[in-house]
Amino acid sequence: MKKRKSIIVAASILLTMTVPTVMAERGAHSQAAVIETSDVRTAADQYLREHADKYNLKEDLSDLNVETVINSENGTYVRYQQTIEGAPVFSNQVTVTLDQTGKVLLVVSDYVPYKSVEKIKNKMSKEDAESKALKHIGAKDNGNWAKNSKEFGYMVEDGVAIPIYRVVVHTDEPFGAWESYIHAENGKLLKKRNLNQRATGTGKVFMPNPVATLGSTTGITDNRDADSTSLNNQLKAVSLLGLDGSGYLKGSYVNIYSKAKTFSSSNTFNFTRSNDSFEDVNTYYHIDTLQRYIQSIGFQNINNRSIKANVNTYTKDNSFYSPSTKELTFGSGGVDDAEDAGIIAHEYGHSIQDNQVPGFGNSAEGGAMGEGFGDFLGATYEDSLSTNGYGKGCIGEWDATSYSSSNPPCLRRLDNNKVYPRDWAGEVHADGEIWSQGEYDMAQAFGRDIATKIILQSHFSLTPNATFSDGARAIKQADVLLYGGAHGAQIDSIWAARGISTN
Ligand SMILES: [Zn+2]
């Protein structure tokens, strides 16, 4: 919750090939190549036969079909498909790279030898395989039948060639181009993936919020979610990464569910704040950026999922993360919460902690650490985007214009020198300021990346009822693990200043 104020999409691949001239196996003529296509094939075949042992190939190459011969100005490429009784072993190919004179330069092979071929009595029909695939995907529609494809072939596993259908179906719900391998007799699902490539979109957002970028509140008011020239001037154009290509704001790390149901078939999302779609874009961008940041400093295992974010679905001036549904919700009261990256990051902080320590924050001090970490994550993110230093030590400058008259307006501060237990108030957000300042001071001393890395690492040591002292001890230990204790003395003094022991 912010009050003083507190998930899934499948993998995909990107296929971008710059293909010079693709020549059909027969008949086509090379424009520039020195040697003829047929000679290239002969040279490649001969080389593979001579080196059959090295690549585990059959000496007569009887189970390799030439798929393509590609001539480019600087090289020639022969691509073979592995087959069994004429049917493909899906995705297992061999390429031979030759120079213009026919000399072999490189072989890349994923040919798989096998000991036996599984025999089946009753091969199911292609149509049955397709129905099975749709069922395995949990498709709510039958897909685009014209685009769907199904082909019989094999996959090799543990030395056995298994007869399968490779089925690709294009469905709307769940959205994707789903490739599945279906056992040709019993219909079991042996492999599934979404072939749709990730799309990059564009959009406009606040970075992190309009008060911070303007460096002032002059002329900046909520005015019931209205646009103004001053506010529009604070919009920044950004790329929206990892979209699933459906035209909705659904991606690798965020899945927006909103009142606005924002959609763009060209993945172009340029809105001003009076349009509810603006908050959808702002939420998508900042959560995606934070998750990519966490991965960039070395953590692939922290909240690495597509989190559902409910935007403008709640009318109060509050936002929250729900540990039971694992979803985020951003309210539209006052300044829409999802217009301020500080608030978005704070709530994402709760989801990070719950992901690292399920049930975290069960004790009063644990709860305060949760709020403090969210503020740390938000304030350091805001600082990383700041070019003018305005709002340092403060979080949520824009959101806070609805309820604060200080300059700058702040949801909370990270530098008001609260000390434990002297300033303990028994309210998680107020007490979170004790904790957030210790973490924020670490960022001032070591830089954002090192401080964030130590703090995230420390969470793995914590329990649902961990205390301030447990948290500080875990931080000190995380520094030992990550940096051999290089920051130990400073960590001691930073937390001693907050009244919290690291021993
Ligand atoms: Zn909170």
Side-chain angles (χ1 to χ4, degrees):
M1 307 266 286
K2 78 168 182 174
K3 277 281 174 264
R4 304 136 269 174
K5 278 182 188 193
S6 160
I7 303 176
I8 297 194
V9 179
S12 64
I13 53 158
L14 178 64
L15 282 170
T16 45
M17 285 181 21
T18 44
V19 179
T21 44
V22 181
M23 302 187 64
E25 203 186 323
R26 281 179 289 268
H29 274 287
S30 164
Q31 302 279 320
V34 172
I35 61 171
E36 291 296 322
T37 301
S38 56
D39 296 337
V40 169
R41 280 198 53 182
T42 307
D45 280 0
Q46 192 183 331
Y47 186 88
L48 289 182
R49 271 197 289 269
E50 281 167 10
H51 297 82
D53 267 5
K54 183 175 173 190
Y55 299 106
N56 289 313
L57 305 174
K58 290 188 179 172
E59 241 163 72
D60 61 359
L61 309 181
S62 57
D63 59 353
L64 287 182
N65 277 1
V66 173
E67 289 276 297
T68 56
V69 178
I70 295 177
N71 274 333
S72 77
E73 225 171 281
N74 302 303
T76 304
Y77 308 85
V78 182
R79 178 177 304 275
Y80 300 83
Q81 172 67 51
Q82 183 180 354
T83 61
I84 294 175
E85 291 158 12
V89 179
F90 292 112
S91 85
N92 289 0
Q93 300 186 344
V94 179
T95 63
V96 180
T97 303
L98 306 94
D99 69 10
Q100 292 284 342
T101 67
K103 185 179 163 219
V104 172
L105 305 173
L106 176 72
V107 173
V108 176
S109 171
D110 38 47
Y111 181 94
V112 272
Y114 51 90
K115 293 192 189 85
S116 61
V117 178
E118 185 187 327
K119 298 285 173 221
I120 53 172
K121 284 181 187 146
N122 300 304
K123 187 167 132 186
M124 70 168 58
S125 69
K126 284 181 179 185
E127 289 68 29
D128 285 349
E130 184 174 28
S131 301
K132 291 276 182 199
L134 288 164
K135 206 177 260 180
H136 287 305
I137 290 153
K140 298 218 166 79
D141 54 296
N142 286 333
N144 183 332
W145 288 78
K147 282 199 225 162
N148 292 352
S149 68
K150 48 259 179 186
E151 187 184 359
F152 177 78
Y154 292 87
M155 68 184 284
V156 176
E157 211 169 66
D158 302 326
V160 180
I162 305 166
I164 57 165
Y165 282 101
R166 175 183 178 269
V167 180
V168 178
V169 292
H170 300 76
T171 56
D172 289 327
E173 204 181 341
F175 181 83
W178 303 94
E179 176 192 59
S180 43
Y181 288 1
I182 304 291
H183 192 281
E185 185 168 50
N186 64 30
K188 273 193 186 146
L189 178 71
L190 301 172
K191 181 186 155 186
K192 178 182 93 172
R193 66 175 177 147
N194 189 347
L195 301 176
N196 270 4
Q197 64 181 49
R198 290 286 163 195
T200 297
T202 54
K204 287 188 175 166
V205 300
F206 289 142
M207 292 274 270
N209 68 54
V211 175
T213 46
L214 183 66
S216 149
T217 53
T218 307
I220 303 260
T221 54
D222 181 37
N223 193 21
R224 293 176 167 269
D225 211 15
D227 288 327
S228 72
T229 307
S230 334
L231 284 164
N232 289 348
N233 285 344
Q234 302 310 315
L235 294 169
K236 312 279 177 203
V238 294
S239 292
L240 301 170
L241 306 178
L243 291 165
D244 72 0
S246 65
Y248 290 98
L249 291 164
K250 293 179 189 300
S252 307
Y253 310 123
V254 202
N255 178 0
I256 300 289
Y257 177 86
S258 72
K259 192 178 152 195
K261 298 183 172 62
T262 304
F263 175 84
S264 163
S265 57
S266 60
N267 296 305
T268 308
F269 301 95
N270 297 323
F271 304 100
T272 56
R273 61 160 323 232
S274 67
N275 188 324
D276 282 340
S277 285
F278 172 75
E279 288 86 72
D280 293 354
V281 180
N282 210 48
T283 304
Y284 185 92
Y285 175 78
H286 291 298
I287 290 177
D288 178 76
T289 301
L290 283 162
Q291 177 55 227
R292 286 174 197 276
Y293 172 69
I294 289 167
Q295 293 187 29
S296 78
I297 57 171
F299 298 101
Q300 309 305 311
N301 58 346
I302 296 180
N303 220 14
N304 186 347
R305 64 189 175 108
S306 186
I307 190 169
K308 186 171 173 187
N310 302 286
V311 182
N312 290 326
T313 53
Y314 176 67
T315 53
K316 296 226 163 72
D317 184 11
N318 207 349
S319 296
F320 54 90
Y321 166 72
S322 164
S324 55
T325 63
K326 312 289 177 200
E327 297 173 11
L328 296 166
T329 299
F330 296 98
S332 58
V335 168
D336 296 340
D337 281 4
E339 288 187 17
D340 194 320
I343 308 299
I344 294 169
H346 173 93
E347 300 305 339
Y348 194 54
H350 285 300
S351 70
I352 289 170
Q353 262 186 334
D354 183 53
N355 185 265
Q356 292 191 270
V357 187
F360 188 82
N362 194 44
S363 64
E365 289 182 16
M369 278 194 273
E371 298 305 334
F373 171 68
D375 286 358
F376 160 81
L377 193 73
T380 49
Y381 181 47
E382 288 186 10
D383 289 353
S384 76
L385 297 171
S386 171
T387 52
N388 56 21
Y390 182 86
K392 199 159 174 55
C394 161
I395 178 172
E397 296 84 355
W398 169 222
D399 181 65
T401 57
S402 294
Y403 46 81
S404 164
S405 52
S406 61
N407 183 19
C410 302
L411 167 62
R412 280 180 292 277
R413 296 202 63 93
L414 296 92
D415 58 0
N416 47 17
N417 289 314
K418 287 188 180 175
V419 174
Y420 179 84
R422 184 190 76 194
D423 299 311
W424 183 261
E427 197 284 321
V428 283
H429 301 91
D431 297 332
E433 288 186 327
I434 301 171
W435 188 256
S436 65
Q437 182 165 350
E439 294 193 336
Y440 193 62
D441 287 350
M442 285 173 60
Q444 308 315 301
F446 317 140
R448 178 196 185 203
D449 295 357
I450 291 174
T452 306
K453 203 165 167 167
I454 294 171
I455 289 163
L456 287 174
Q457 188 78 38
S458 78
H459 290 167
F460 289 120
S461 298
L462 300 182
T463 56
N465 293 297
T467 61
F468 276 174
S469 181
D470 293 330
R473 289 190 303 126
I475 282 173
K476 193 168 178 193
Q477 189 57 48
D479 178 56
V480 172
L481 289 172
L482 290 168
Y483 301 107
H487 310 92
Q490 280 169 290
I491 287 171
D492 286 346
S493 69
I494 284 169
W495 291 101
R498 301 275 69 78
I500 298 167
S501 169
T502 50
N503 298 306

